[in-house]
Amino acid sequence: MMGKVWFVGAGPGDPELITVKGRHLLARAGAVLFAGSLVDQAATLYAPDGCTIRDSKDMTLEQITAWLIEQAACHETVVRLQTGDPGLYGALIEMVRPLDAAGIKWAVVPGVSSAMAAAAAAGETLTLPEVTQTVIFTRVAGRTPMPPGEDLEALAAHRTTLCIFLSITLLHEVQRALRAAGWPEDAPLLVVQKASWPGREKIVRGTLADIKRRCQDEKIATQAMIIASPTLGARHWQDIVRSKLYDPAFGHRFRRASITEITEGASS
Ligand code: SAH
């Protein structure tokens, strides 16, 4: 009987940010293949004695899938542990197609993405009423080109929250794109390196004008999330529009409005 391969999101680095389901799977895994140094701790902490644990950093895609197939022949539970959420920049589809072809069962367990961990580390929100209600997860082109219509300048024109992955070494390109889209020089930007890593996390706040210099001063060149958002720093603003969810005048499925004035539901 062939085992099953689980693509488990390990979260952003803090081993406590893996899901309960992910941890349970690790605890019964016969083999674990982890992606890079960000998530090795979860594997070593939660996998049982005798489990085969391997780092995939020196492996090609073909070697990775061959290893997973080989391990599924000997173990009921095989875990491919990935940083953050497996569905974001995780080569998931490339890995599952050969498993399908080999007739091996697989499933995905979501994880806390580094975009969420970076916002949490800085105590920021990614959405705010009447400021932005949209979050874009993106990157700038590196060796992987951007599909048509997705260059950062075009996305930044929406003035929504941008969580920019894989781009810390291309911060100058991020700056260029935001400027070209009309963001002002004093627009706030946030960079979080190793978000959630106990003792290793670095939070850098700056503006479009100075974020690159600030990151250089902090020697941040890898494993960093860039967030550009009109919501940044909102906790220090004089006024914010309050969220309808907790507004006494706004009734919803779980709570009646305490004031009978207009509610969104009633007026439309
Ligand atoms: N699937 C992952 C992303 C993998 S791509 C996720 O959902 O988070 C790798 C990129 O993710 C890095 O270049 C960096 O931009 C970001 N990243 C991953 N872990 C991070 C962390 N702990 N702190 C900040 N950025 C991180």
Side-chain angles (χ1 to χ4, degrees), residues 106-171:
W106 57 270
V108 181
V109 178
V112 175
S113 174
S114 54
M116 273 58 235
E124 296 285 355
T125 181
L126 301 178
T127 61
L128 198 62
E130 296 186 29
V131 176
T132 184
Q133 294 288 284
T134 305
V135 183
I136 296 176
F137 289 166
T138 190
R139 58 172 299 172
V140 295
R143 273 175 298 177
T144 306
M146 292 304 280
E150 292 188 27
D151 58 282
L152 188 58
E153 182 179 332
L155 299 176
H158 294 287
R159 299 296 178 101
T160 64
T161 295
L162 299 163
C163 295
I164 308 170
F165 292 73
L166 295 160
S167 303
I168 192 66
T169 57
L170 299 165
L171 205 43

Side-chain angles (χ1 to χ4, degrees), residues 7 35 56 61 64 80-96 139 165-166:
F7 293 84
S56 64
L61 183 74
I64 288 174
R80 164 64 175 167
L81 199 57
Q82 311 216 178
T83 59
D85 181 83
L88 287 169
Y89 310 104
L92 179 66
I93 299 306
E94 292 103 300
M95 286 186 282
V96 300
R139 58 172 299 172
F165 292 73
L166 295 160

